[in-house]
Amino acid sequence: LSEAAYLALDWGTTHRRTYVMDPAGTVVARERDGRGVLSIPPGGYPHELAALRARFGPLPAIAAGMVGSARGWREVPYVPAPAGAAQLAAALTCIETDDLLIVPGLSLREAGRSDVMRGEEVQVLGAVVAGLAPADALFCQPGTHNKWIELEGGRIVRFTTAMTGEIFALLRDHSLLSEMLGGEVEDGHAFRDGVAAAQEEGGLLAQMFGIRAAVLLESRPRESAAAFTSGLLIGSDVASAGVQGRTIHLLADATLGPLYAVAIQLLGGRVALVDSEAAFAAGIHHIRGLSQ
Amino acid sequence: LSEAAYLALDWGTTHRRTYVMDPAGTVVARERDGRGVLSIPPGGYPHELAALRARFGPLPAIAAGMVGSARGWREVPYVPAPAGAAQLAAALTCIETDDLLIVPGLSLREAGRSDVMRGEEVQVLGAVVAGLAPADALFCQPGTHNKWIELEGGRIVRFTTAMTGEIFALLRDHSLLSEMLGGEVEDGHAFRDGVAAAQEEGGLLAQMFGIRAAVLLESRPRESAAAFTSGLLIGSDVASAGVQGRTIHLLADATLGPLYAVAIQLLGGRVALVDSEAAFAAGIHHIRGLSQ
């Protein structure tokens, strides 16, 4: 098996990335599409994988992400943190009828708090394997749910998920602020004002209402309210993570990456960008190799 | 005019309270209905008031609340805080064709923050006039948007609005947590756990995601997630207000009042309940009297 090419899938809630890997772990082809878990009907997964094989060849496959959740192909139990690649490799779920391995997610139980992840673990562990980040590092992986992931000795020891992106979307799409949040979200004065506001006293729930009041009283232009709101939420998220004086290894796309980078730097952190596709490929190849 | 009976209206976004006042300011009849501003079509206000007069008599009227907003009968400019009843009385808007006075709301502009209110100002000023609260007092008025209002010498000197209730509704109706938030919201262990969680490090955005993780990992029963979430949000709101060692004058209904009272007490504050209908009647009568 380890001498053959294979398919590696980063199969999330809304998107799917497919990598054709050669036996040495080099990506020889890649594809990104919108066939995330939410778009696949119950029972539709074998057909989805067969369609990929029709395009890329009859290769064995390994997948990580929400495909292993209750909404996905099969629910794979979480591996409790702290954990590294060896623990994930030992807990792979095999769906033999489809020649597919699914990587488990991680769970965290600490006094008073719980957390879970599915998919991000492969990227951060892979970043270390590929030499893209040190074995002791704090990662930030923005998205609908932003993840802060702490590695020690190449193992994930703790992590925190923040609903930052989802709360922004709720405010924009469904709240009293909706009519004010149609503007562009980009770095600039308004975004940075929002990051600064998040550091002030008063609490996030009050600061959110203050956005509406500032527009009504014309102390903030309506067009800049969305960028300010994004800065407020990302600034709150970054402040809670305690980035001052630390290097944050940022796994992010072209939209959220620059915004998080600015907020981290404004709050006294340093930013090291990590290529998330290279990290995923390295991680999944390493985990697959350990399981053989 | 001051020797006649009149109608006093607390006309908000979703509800309307009508009081028939005798010349001395005693409430002789009252009615509550769902004819809030959101339910009135454009141009429909004169008809609404005429319908009230058909029931209660051809009396002059005075109204406060969102009826004076851009969505209401007529937009009445805000009076800047600090302000008391005299400033509100001096800024009443008169709609002569309908024999109606509308009380303006208040605006606040401080370094870095803005806030607005419409309607709450009548209740808190009235509470002092009626002897239901001292002239120096901190009020809490829960609702979709919770208000903290600071009075000094009987004037409103500053206030803060928090989106607490609206964020709870967004999480329950539109978020990833929706399916978990169908349970009862009431005081109990789960609510109090939420209040306590809000005092811990980590930030509100992460604590919200932790609710989902705790249910997935079965460290919190699904039925109690709604009460915990309410405790988390109200606990965050109350903590930001700085209630420790203070008496909070609580103007609240039977649903939110007990929850805020518990959170205030858990965070070291004392609670004095204020009858919001009595406070409104006293406030509107006082403001109307000053304008004559």
Side-chain angles (χ1 to χ4, degrees):
Chain A
L1 185 59
S2 64
E3 293 172 5
Y6 63 97
L7 298 177
L9 306 173
D10 188 356
W11 205 335
T13 303
T14 56
H15 289 88
R16 181 179 65 179
R17 287 186 184 80
T18 304
Y19 303 85
V20 182
M21 310 285 283
D22 78 6
T26 302
V27 176
V28 295
R30 73 187 72 206
E31 186 178 88
R32 185 183 178 181
D33 61 37
R35 304 295 291 160
V37 164
L38 291 182
S39 74
I40 314 282
Y45 288 93
H47 173 77
E48 286 292 325
L49 186 52
L52 288 174
R53 285 178 171 139
R55 294 210 289 290
F56 296 116
L59 303 173
I62 182 168
M66 292 301 281
V67 68
S69 72
R71 287 182 183 177
W73 190 324
R74 183 177 297 178
E75 186 166 6
V76 177
Y78 294 106
V79 170
Q87 286 74 38
L88 294 177
L92 291 174
T93 284
C94 182
I95 300 183
E96 294 196 16
T97 49
D98 295 278
D99 198 3
L100 171 72
L101 298 170
I102 303 182
V103 181
L106 288 188
S107 62
L108 182 78
R109 294 168 195 264
E110 287 184 335
R113 65 177 293 270
S114 305
D115 216 323
V116 292
M117 70 165 77
R118 285 199 190 273
E120 296 89 351
E121 65 286 348
V122 176
Q123 290 188 22
V124 298
L125 295 170
V128 175
V129 168
L132 303 173
D136 296 323
L138 176 58
F139 288 85
C140 174
Q141 193 168 20
T144 303
H145 299 141
N146 180 42
K147 290 253 184 317
W148 298 93
I149 307 173
E150 186 96 43
L151 263 71
E152 290 176 12
R155 300 168 80 218
I156 295 171
V157 292
R158 73 189 71 84
F159 56 96
T160 301
T161 309
M163 284 183 70
T164 317
E166 184 170 359
I167 293 294
F168 181 82
L170 291 173
L171 290 176
R172 186 193 56 204
D173 297 340
H174 298 290
S175 82
L176 182 77
L177 302 181
S178 296
E179 48 136 354
M180 301 176 171
L181 298 184
E184 204 70 37
V185 175
E186 57 193 358
D187 182 30
H189 284 302
F191 178 81
R192 292 173 185 225
D193 283 354
V195 173
Q199 315 313 312
E200 288 164 16
E201 286 186 10
L204 189 57
L205 296 167
Q207 286 157 337
M208 288 175 185
F209 186 85
I211 298 163
R212 174 173 165 78
V215 171
L216 289 179
L217 298 179
E218 298 178 356
S219 61
R220 167 158 307 286
R222 185 173 290 255
E223 313 81 69
S224 76
F228 179 89
T229 303
S230 175
L232 179 67
L233 293 171
I234 291 176
S236 173
D237 183 0
V238 172
S240 296
V243 302
Q244 186 156 20
R246 299 198 65 176
T247 296
I248 311 304
H249 298 268
L250 188 59
L251 289 147
D253 64 23
T255 305
L256 286 172
L259 298 177
Y260 271 86
V262 164
I264 289 166
Q265 290 166 336
L266 285 174
L267 299 182
R270 293 177 297 274
V271 174
L273 294 176
V274 180
D275 178 335
S276 59
E277 293 198 358
F280 179 82
I284 202 97
H285 189 70
H286 183 58
I287 291 166
R288 185 168 180 271
L290 290 173
S291 75
Q292 314 241 314
Chain B
L1 185 60
S2 64
E3 291 171 8
Y6 62 97
L7 298 177
L9 306 174
D10 189 357
W11 205 334
T13 304
T14 56
H15 290 88
R16 180 179 65 179
R17 288 185 182 80
T18 304
Y19 303 84
V20 181
M21 310 285 283
D22 76 7
T26 302
V27 176
V28 295
R30 74 188 71 207
E31 186 179 86
R32 186 185 176 177
D33 60 38
R35 304 295 291 160
V37 164
L38 292 182
S39 74
I40 314 284
Y45 289 93
H47 173 77
E48 287 292 327
L49 184 53
L52 288 175
R53 286 179 170 139
R55 294 209 290 287
F56 296 115
L59 303 173
I62 182 169
M66 291 300 281
V67 68
S69 72
R71 288 184 183 175
W73 190 325
R74 182 177 298 178
E75 188 167 6
V76 177
Y78 294 106
V79 169
Q87 286 75 38
L88 295 177
L92 291 173
T93 283
C94 181
I95 300 183
E96 294 195 17
T97 50
D98 295 278
D99 197 4
L100 171 71
L101 298 170
I102 302 181
V103 181
L106 288 188
S107 62
L108 182 78
R109 296 169 194 262
E110 287 184 336
R113 65 177 294 271
S114 304
D115 214 324
V116 292
M117 69 166 76
R118 284 199 190 274
E120 296 89 350
E121 65 286 349
V122 176
Q123 291 187 22
V124 297
L125 295 171
V128 175
V129 168
L132 303 172
D136 295 324
L138 176 58
F139 288 84
C140 174
Q141 192 167 20
T144 302
H145 300 140
N146 179 42
K147 290 257 187 305
W148 298 93
I149 306 172
E150 187 95 44
L151 262 70
E152 291 176 12
R155 300 169 81 218
I156 296 172
V157 292
R158 72 189 70 85
F159 57 95
T160 302
T161 309
M163 284 183 70
T164 316
E166 183 169 359
I167 293 293
F168 181 83
L170 291 173
L171 291 175
R172 186 193 56 205
D173 298 339
H174 298 292
S175 82
L176 182 76
L177 301 181
S178 295
E179 48 138 354
M180 300 175 172
L181 298 185
E184 204 71 37
V185 174
E186 56 193 358
D187 182 31
H189 284 302
F191 179 81
R192 292 175 185 226
D193 284 354
V195 173
Q199 314 314 310
E200 288 164 17
E201 287 187 9
L204 190 57
L205 295 167
Q207 286 157 336
M208 288 176 185
F209 187 85
I211 298 163
R212 174 173 165 79
V215 171
L216 289 178
L217 299 178
E218 298 178 357
S219 61
R220 166 159 307 286
R222 184 173 291 255
E223 314 80 70
S224 76
F228 179 88
T229 303
S230 176
L232 178 67
L233 293 170
I234 291 176
S236 172
D237 183 0
V238 172
S240 297
V243 301
Q244 187 156 20
R246 299 197 65 177
T247 296
I248 311 303
H249 299 269
L250 188 59
L251 288 148
D253 64 22
T255 304
L256 285 172
L259 298 177
Y260 270 85
V262 164
I264 289 166
Q265 289 166 335
L266 285 173
L267 299 182
R270 293 178 297 275
V271 174
L273 294 175
V274 180
D275 178 333
S276 59
E277 294 197 358
F280 179 82
I284 203 96
H285 188 71
H286 183 59
I287 291 166
R288 185 168 180 272
L290 289 173
S291 74
Q292 314 242 312

